[in-house]
Amino acid sequence: MKFKSFLYLFILLILIWLTLTSTFHLQELTVGILVSFILALSLTENYIDLGLPALSAKKIMFFIFYIVILFKEIIMANLDVAYRILHPKMPIKPGIVIIRTGLKSDIAKMVLANSITLTPGTFTLDILGDNLLIHWINVKAENIDEATKIIGEKFEKYLRVIFG
Amino acid sequence: MNIFFLVFIGLGIILCLLRMIKGPTTPDRAVAVDTISTITTALLVFLGFIFKRYIYLDVSLVYAVLTFIGVIAIARYLEKGI
Amino acid sequence: MHLAGGIVTGIGTIFLFLGGLGVFRLPDVYNRLQAGTKCTTLGAFLTIIGVGIMEPSWFWKTLLIGIFILLTNPISNHALGRASCKSGVPLCKKSVVNKSKDFCKGETK
């Protein structure tokens, strides 16, 4: 477990170093490997505390699906907001509602909150335990169960597999 | 062609500045500052493309990191004081 | 290649302008945050990626800056929204429902 998370962190740091320097020169590569090794050694404990899951083929496939759906939702959100801004009467009907989530680990909740912020018309204001406080620019349902079904369900079924 | 893009970015920044001057409450002004900082990050990358200077990308990356920390600090202050 | 990058950058700058217009036009701080988050996140991402497409040797670094913006912009805006919710900024007159008081007390029925 510890060696595995050390390896993930090391590969991640090497990738960031390669994109930052964008050369394969020997000197740059040596310094990068050295710095990544030291950082990965000292940060492995924090990485385990974050609760990131172990990799598997199914999780990577769901992660790619998730990225595709997230990008589609981001583009839809921008067209929606652009329509509401440019319309002369501004057809908005804002309100603050509560939704519920079934995810357990902290990092999964953070990813869910960020995804909700980027999707059409919703914006995460606060998280307390299992509940999220959402500002909704066009309120369709005030009830907590219906709001959960409309806002959170489309991401949660993927995140439950990825972080499960 | 590039001049149109610069005009669009400049208009966005000017509208945010107007909101920053006008904004009735303090969080309004903070939102305007945050929007300006994100637009400026994109503007720095685009200026680097116009002037053909690679170093502007590093400037933009450091600017993005610093404004992120600055906005978090402003939000902490608004929430419960220093 | 140059044309494709130019089109992507152009769409990005239009979204940046729309973000500024939304911050100027919408009625209260939460609606302004909606426009300021969504439009500027996609706008900045597309502008930066478009520059990377126009200059292929810069692509990986522009991708890094774009992903950094995509990750951090929602977090900073969420912090601002939470701060204005806690400090009690009122909603605008068009609002239909406000459950933030129930949320602070822990009543979620």
Side-chain angles (χ1 to χ4, degrees):
Chain A
M1 177 65 201
K2 202 166 177 182
F3 180 72
K4 243 184 179 175
S5 43
F6 168 76
L7 206 64
Y8 291 152
L9 192 56
F10 183 64
I11 291 171
L12 187 70
L13 287 170
I14 283 282
L15 281 179
I16 292 176
W17 177 269
L18 282 180
T19 46
L20 267 177
T21 58
S22 59
T23 56
F24 285 99
H25 200 268
L26 188 61
Q27 288 176 356
E28 304 259 5
L29 216 58
T30 315
V31 174
I33 289 174
L34 211 68
V35 172
S36 310
F37 189 77
I38 295 170
L39 274 180
L41 266 187
S42 55
L43 290 179
T44 307
E45 293 291 327
N46 302 26
Y47 188 81
I48 292 174
D49 282 348
L50 276 181
L52 285 174
L55 291 179
S56 70
K58 192 182 168 197
K59 283 177 184 172
I60 292 176
M61 211 175 68
F62 267 76
F63 187 67
I64 293 170
F65 276 147
Y66 176 72
I67 295 283
V68 170
I69 286 180
L70 184 64
F71 259 86
K72 198 198 88 192
E73 292 287 335
I74 289 175
I75 292 167
M76 289 293 295
N78 276 278
L79 294 178
D80 184 63
V81 170
Y83 165 71
R84 286 181 205 287
I85 291 170
L86 288 176
H87 199 282
K89 281 182 195 160
M90 282 196 290
I92 59 173
K93 193 177 141 196
I96 293 181
V97 297
I98 302 173
I99 71 165
R100 198 181 287 129
T101 172
L103 298 170
K104 287 289 173 278
S105 73
D106 281 351
I107 191 147
K109 280 179 199 164
M110 192 202 84
V111 173
L112 179 70
N114 265 4
S115 313
I116 286 175
T117 297
L118 288 173
T119 50
T122 51
F123 183 86
T124 313
L125 286 175
D126 206 350
I127 300 181
L128 192 72
D130 283 344
N131 297 301
L132 277 79
L133 191 64
I134 303 278
H135 179 263
W136 202 350
I137 204 169
N138 186 17
V139 178
K140 286 174 195 151
E142 300 180 13
N143 194 355
I144 177 166
D145 291 317
E146 292 172 37
T148 306
K149 199 172 277 176
I150 296 174
I151 296 175
E153 201 54 40
K154 57 194 168 194
F155 293 125
E156 260 197 69
K157 59 188 175 194
Y158 292 98
L159 289 177
R160 229 175 272 139
V161 176
I162 295 171
F163 292 100
Chain B
M1 197 65 183
N2 287 340
I3 194 82
F4 287 113
F5 298 166
L6 285 177
V7 165
F8 271 127
I9 296 178
L11 276 178
I13 290 180
I14 288 171
L15 286 169
C16 286
L17 274 177
L18 285 177
R19 172 51 67 196
M20 197 176 91
I21 295 165
K22 200 173 150 191
T25 61
T26 318
D28 285 308
R29 299 194 166 100
V31 172
V33 169
D34 180 46
T35 311
I36 289 176
S37 72
T38 310
I39 295 177
T40 310
T41 310
L43 176 65
L44 277 171
V45 175
F46 193 58
L47 281 181
F49 168 71
I50 290 176
F51 297 143
K52 305 278 184 243
R53 292 261 195 282
Y54 184 73
I55 195 73
Y56 275 58
L57 294 188
D58 295 315
V59 177
S60 149
L61 191 57
V62 173
Y63 187 80
V65 175
L66 286 181
T67 53
F68 172 61
I69 297 169
V71 169
I72 295 283
I74 293 173
R76 295 288 294 200
Y77 169 67
L78 287 177
E79 198 174 322
K80 48 194 159 188
I82 294 175
Chain C
M1 210 53 152
H2 204 269
L3 186 68
I7 290 170
V8 172
T9 306
I11 296 172
T13 51
I14 289 171
F15 275 121
L16 286 179
F17 166 68
L18 282 177
L21 186 66
V23 170
F24 182 69
R25 247 194 111 193
L26 287 169
D28 73 343
V29 67
Y30 305 101
N31 295 314
R32 280 175 207 146
L33 272 170
Q34 297 249 7
T37 312
K38 295 186 177 76
C39 286
T40 56
T41 305
L42 187 73
F45 185 74
L46 285 184
T47 308
I48 292 169
I49 289 294
V51 170
I53 294 171
M54 283 193 276
E55 293 269 340
S57 61
W58 295 8
F59 182 74
W60 293 106
K61 197 155 196 178
T62 53
L63 188 67
L64 190 70
I65 301 173
I67 289 176
F68 185 80
I69 284 183
L70 210 60
L71 284 180
T72 58
N73 206 13
I75 296 176
S76 61
N77 280 291
H78 156 73
L80 279 176
R82 181 185 147 118
S84 50
C85 185
K86 286 263 174 75
S87 64
V89 178
L91 274 79
C92 67
K93 280 175 191 156
K94 280 184 181 177
S95 307
V96 288
V97 56
N98 183 4
K99 290 195 177 173
S100 59
K101 289 204 174 64
D102 300 349
F103 186 78
C104 293
K105 283 184 217 151
E107 296 167 10
T108 55
K109 291 289 157 55

